[in-house]
Amino acid sequence: MTPNLPIQLEFSNKYDSAHALQYFHKHRAGLARRLSDWRDRQLARRALQLAGDPGLVLDLPCGAGRFWPLLGEQPNRVILAADNSPHMLEVARREMPPALAGRVHTLHTSAFAIDLEAASVDSIFCMRLLHHIADPAHRLAMLREFHRVTRDTVIVSLWVDGNYKAWRRRRLEARRAGRPGENGNRFVIPAATAESEFASAGFAILGHHDFLPGYAMWRVYTLRKLA
Amino acid sequence: MADKQPLARRILLSFMLLTALIAGINAWAIIAVVHVVEEDLIGDEMRQEMEMVETVYLTEGRIPDLTGGSALYVPTLKAQPLPAAFAGLHPGYQEVVGENGAWHVLETSIEGHRFILARNQDAFEAREQMLYKVVVGGFLLAIVLAWLIGRLTVRRVIDPVIRLAGQVRGRDSMHELAPPLAPEYGDDELGQLAGAFDQAFGQLRRAIERERLFTSDVSHELRTPLMIVGTSAELLLRGELSGRARRQVERIAKAAGEMRALVEVFLQLARAQAAPAAPEAAVSLAAMAAEQGEVWGPEITARGLAFVVVSEAAMPGVWHATLLRAVMGNLLRNASHYTERGEIRLILDAGGFRVEDSGPGIAADERERLFDSFVRGSAARGEGLGLGLSLVRRICEQQGWRIEAHNLAGGGSCFSVRLGRF
Ligand SMILES: C[S@@+](CC[C@H](N)C(=O)[O-])C[C@H]1O[C@@H](n2cnc3c(N)ncnc32)[C@H](O)[C@@H]1O
């Protein structure tokens, strides 16, 4: 397959070896992080349930494999784990719990041109990637690629508006207009925009779960592919 | 939702109908029994009351006053109008309906006098109303319960079936690592069904794999002899040949070349996954159009048709040369076969290319099956067209290209290929 015009994102390049290991430990340090990690997993669990407990899941991007134990909770499930960064994949493979060996298969691929055939997985599980993508055309390209590769459902997490954090973020940004912020590679996508993008990529929304309704920006959508 | 699940609806309906029937019979029986029993009881009560009246009358010679809602009529002893409804009484217990309500009536003859004891049914009726309410309430409650239990049963029984159907749909395209379905279901009928699906998909997968290997083996085996035919023909052409023999050998060389190209396409298609083209085998759309124009241009013009290459927009990127050549070449061959007069256009646009002709167009009923193997348009003629379009479709499927065919407004057909995933 010859992906013409491969989409490359600036932020994708930051996941080198050192960063990868750091990322692995990031979600294990401190009470707040652990709590948030716990809540992340809870949302993911609900989303998977809403998606009908898919059997073959593509975890993309898998990062350091943070969600593998959760995905492995269903004993029959097979996990295809993919990431753009070989370093991330290496760290993830090294730190993988032995109980999951044999059920996780890693794959080095970009989310914009997934190295899999059409309709080859039950569900694509995409945590914490969409909020890195600012350009609607890029988002649409990725969603369309998801539409091609999934047979049934897609689970995505992103930052949406309509909550306190997003409001405060917008105010902060307005104040230091022009200067790039510290979170220059993460973006809020208005919920209405996101939902219309899902629709134009050919998905129906099965439901969504908020990290902390009204306060936090994280939201997990469960989408079903329309024929 | 309910409309799409007739089975669930039927289960729910039969649950409720059955309950309605049973609860209905029950209610009717309760009311009937209560009615009979109550009548018996009232009859007994009135007989006792009458005995008391008789005792008092026989021992004390007077007619006692009654308490408790009963009225006593003795037409021959008491000056008191007898209600009209009591005209046709007969001795013994009976129910009488008059203008002011229904009555329980007991008539006895004591020493030649008619004693008539009457009791209005109103009080009794109020109790009966109450009873009806309870019975109807119970009936409705039973139906609501049946609905609830039915819903629960449907969820337990139908939902897993719906889930399994969802998992099976389109499963043939799934990655070979996909886990079997059966372990997710219990050791029951559904588990067996899931197991049967697993088995069927396994067989399908193995059959496809065998076919793939066979195609790949055959193509490999053909490569060498074709190579020999091709190079031998070329060697022959370098030597001294008479004009006639030269033309024949040229035809052999050309045919061998075409077969080799076809075998390369088969080999590519037989690969388990679409492999990216090696850099030397990648080609831009414009370059391929130029090459195919040179191959097909002379053939098409030789048939008295015009051939034009139009570049509406330049699409960047490179594609697998063998496969792009096969798609474009087959579409041009197809167009030239079906077109009698007019022109054939190869148009490059921003998303891919189109091949348009001024031929008879595609009949509506053929459009669906146009890309199926060995199905030709009804106006078919010439050879080797049956495989062409199905090959084109297979290549497009494997590469994630999209092909569609439609008729042009001014007559003729248009085959459009969108390169890239979408
Ligand atoms: C914020 S991490 C999220 C990882 C994981 N899902 C989680 O929540 O822990 C983002 C990951 O996306 C990967 N990534 C970045 N660009 C990508 C792309 N174009 N395709 C696939 N993965 C990409 C990075 O390598 C990194 O591992």
Side-chain angles (χ1 to χ4, degrees):
Chain A
M1 205 155 314
T2 321
N4 48 312
L5 292 185
I7 297 172
Q8 285 285 354
L9 301 178
E10 177 64 36
F11 97 94
S12 301
N13 301 327
K14 77 170 187 177
Y15 295 96
D16 56 16
S17 261
H19 193 96
L21 200 59
Q22 189 190 328
Y23 192 85
F24 175 76
H25 291 295
K26 172 175 155 182
H27 289 283
R28 312 193 139 201
L31 182 67
R33 283 246 189 263
R34 273 161 188 264
L35 260 179
S36 122
D37 190 38
W38 168 81
R39 178 68 178 154
D40 273 348
R41 285 201 308 262
Q42 194 180 39
L43 292 189
R45 212 173 273 133
R46 289 195 187 148
L48 284 163
Q49 204 172 24
L50 194 58
D53 292 320
L56 180 61
V57 176
L58 172 63
D59 180 12
L60 169 71
C62 65
R66 178 157 73 104
F67 287 101
W68 293 352
L70 167 103
L71 289 167
E73 279 171 11
Q74 180 176 308
N76 188 42
R77 182 172 288 150
V78 172
I79 303 151
L80 277 175
D83 202 289
N84 207 17
S85 150
H87 310 291
M88 271 292 190
L89 283 174
E90 202 198 303
V91 169
R93 258 196 304 260
R94 203 168 60 217
E95 308 286 347
M96 169 162 44
L100 284 174
R103 283 174 59 203
V104 178
H105 303 263
T106 53
L107 178 75
H108 177 213
T109 191
S110 159
F112 294 101
I114 303 170
D115 199 5
L116 289 173
E117 306 219 344
S120 50
V121 299
D122 283 323
S123 186
I124 296 178
F125 180 79
C126 178
M127 291 294 127
R128 304 205 170 190
L129 180 61
L130 205 57
H131 72 305
H132 280 300
I133 308 175
D135 187 344
H138 289 170
R139 288 201 296 264
L140 211 55
M142 188 176 87
L143 288 170
R144 292 221 161 111
E145 182 64 351
F146 284 1
H147 189 275
R148 182 185 71 85
V149 171
T150 188
R151 186 187 64 82
D152 192 26
T153 56
V154 166
I155 296 167
V156 283
S157 78
L158 66 158
W159 277 359
V160 294
D161 64 350
N163 47 60
Y164 170 72
K165 282 276 211 177
W167 171 79
R168 220 186 55 168
R169 193 181 157 85
R170 206 176 49 232
R171 239 185 30 161
L172 271 175
E173 265 167 13
R175 213 181 291 156
R176 49 163 194 236
R179 273 183 296 148
E182 52 187 326
N183 282 334
N185 64 14
R186 301 198 282 179
F187 311 92
V188 175
I189 307 169
T193 310
E195 291 182 7
S196 80
E197 285 175 5
F198 296 151
S200 57
F203 291 106
I205 297 169
L206 287 181
H208 65 74
H209 298 100
D210 284 317
F211 187 90
L212 245 184
Y215 178 78
M217 297 187 283
W218 282 116
R219 172 175 285 186
V220 178
Y221 276 99
T222 306
L223 313 174
R224 168 154 287 150
K225 174 179 178 172
L226 297 171
Chain B
M1 195 69 180
D3 279 335
K4 285 197 207 138
Q5 305 174 9
L7 202 58
R9 222 176 28 185
R10 282 209 296 260
I11 291 182
L12 204 57
L13 204 68
S14 39
F15 246 85
M16 290 173 65
L17 275 180
L18 186 67
T19 310
L21 193 72
I22 293 177
I25 292 176
N26 242 335
W28 177 81
I30 289 174
I31 289 172
V33 165
V34 165
H35 214 81
V36 168
V37 167
E38 195 122 31
E39 226 136 71
D40 265 12
L41 281 178
I42 287 185
D44 278 356
E45 238 178 71
M46 287 177 77
R47 254 173 233 114
Q48 276 171 19
E49 214 169 5
M50 189 63 105
E51 266 166 34
M52 192 268 286
V53 170
E54 189 174 6
T55 328
V56 171
Y57 177 69
L58 291 180
T59 52
E60 299 173 26
R62 69 178 175 93
I63 300 167
D65 287 327
L66 294 182
T67 52
S70 297
L72 185 63
Y73 300 91
V74 190
T76 45
L77 296 178
K78 259 169 90 179
Q80 184 190 28
L82 189 65
F86 292 179
L89 291 181
H90 57 81
Y93 172 79
Q94 60 223 275
E95 271 185 80
V96 173
V97 182
E99 57 270 25
N100 43 3
W103 299 81
H104 299 284
V105 182
L106 180 66
E107 188 191 312
T108 326
S109 165
I110 303 173
E111 295 191 324
H113 302 288
R114 277 171 78 207
F115 276 69
I116 298 168
L117 189 63
R119 191 184 279 187
N120 200 298
Q121 287 192 6
D122 284 354
F124 170 54
E125 213 117 83
R127 261 183 295 160
E128 218 173 33
Q129 284 300 328
M130 188 69 168
L131 179 74
Y132 287 156
K133 272 184 201 146
V134 170
V135 168
V136 169
F139 176 77
L140 292 180
L141 191 70
I143 290 196
V144 169
L145 272 176
W147 182 77
L148 277 176
I149 295 175
R151 281 290 301 251
L152 228 72
T153 313
V154 164
R155 289 199 66 121
R156 292 280 310 262
V157 175
I158 302 290
D159 281 7
V161 176
I162 293 172
R163 174 158 181 257
L164 182 58
Q167 285 174 317
V168 168
R169 203 170 296 127
R171 200 178 170 75
D172 52 339
S173 62
M174 271 183 64
H175 198 276
E176 61 197 11
L177 284 174
L181 296 170
E184 287 178 33
Y185 297 88
D187 189 18
D188 52 12
E189 290 87 340
L190 216 57
Q192 288 171 20
L193 184 61
F197 277 128
D198 284 336
Q199 221 176 358
F201 279 116
Q203 280 166 1
L204 188 66
R205 199 177 282 282
R206 280 190 295 279
I208 291 173
E209 181 65 12
R210 269 198 305 275
E211 188 217 21
R212 201 173 60 73
L213 285 179
F214 180 72
T215 312
S216 147
D217 285 351
V218 168
S219 307
H220 260 296
E221 291 297 316
L222 284 177
R223 255 180 168 176
T224 322
L226 278 175
M227 182 89 85
I228 294 171
V229 173
T231 44
S232 305
E234 264 164 40
L235 284 178
L236 271 179
L237 284 175
R238 283 194 207 147
E240 292 283 309
L241 280 177
S242 73
R244 213 175 103 90
R246 175 166 295 275
R247 273 199 306 283
Q248 298 299 343
V249 175
E250 271 170 0
R251 287 182 65 190
I252 292 175
K254 187 168 172 243
E258 279 172 9
M259 271 165 88
R260 256 154 72 185
L262 206 54
V263 162
E264 286 309 313
V265 171
F266 288 157
L267 270 176
Q268 272 305 324
L269 285 181
R271 297 248 156 92
Q273 282 221 346
E280 69 277 7
V283 68
S284 74
L285 190 53
M288 182 54 71
E291 181 202 296
Q292 289 297 302
E294 266 170 40
V295 174
W296 287 95
E299 287 209 19
I300 292 172
T301 39
R303 296 194 56 234
L305 304 168
F307 177 68
V308 283
V309 179
V310 185
S311 182
E312 284 180 355
M315 188 187 188
V318 288
W319 287 273
H320 202 294
T322 311
L323 300 178
L324 186 57
R325 182 177 297 122
V327 170
M328 204 181 268
N330 271 299
L331 290 180
L332 286 171
R333 183 215 304 260
N334 193 62
S336 89
H337 262 273
Y338 283 100
T339 309
E340 290 285 357
R341 63 179 68 82
E343 65 168 5
I344 289 170
R345 290 179 297 278
L346 172 59
I347 302 160
L348 310 184
D349 57 42
F353 67 93
R354 312 194 297 275
V355 174
E356 298 182 352
D357 62 43
S358 52
I362 312 145
D365 53 331
E366 272 165 23
R367 204 168 308 160
E368 288 255 308
R369 302 187 309 141
L370 195 62
F371 295 104
D372 289 354
S373 293
F374 306 112
V375 172
R376 297 181 202 170
S378 54
R381 64 202 155 94
E383 270 124 44
L385 281 182
L387 189 59
L389 287 185
S390 89
L391 203 60
V392 165
R393 188 186 62 174
R394 280 196 188 205
I395 293 171
C396 288
E397 268 173 8
Q398 196 206 35
Q399 292 294 299
W401 304 342
R402 215 175 52 202
I403 177 151
E404 58 186 42
H406 62 267
N407 286 336
L408 293 170
S413 52
C414 169
F415 287 79
S416 157
V417 178
R418 306 293 91 202
L419 298 171
R421 253 70 180 261
F422 280 92

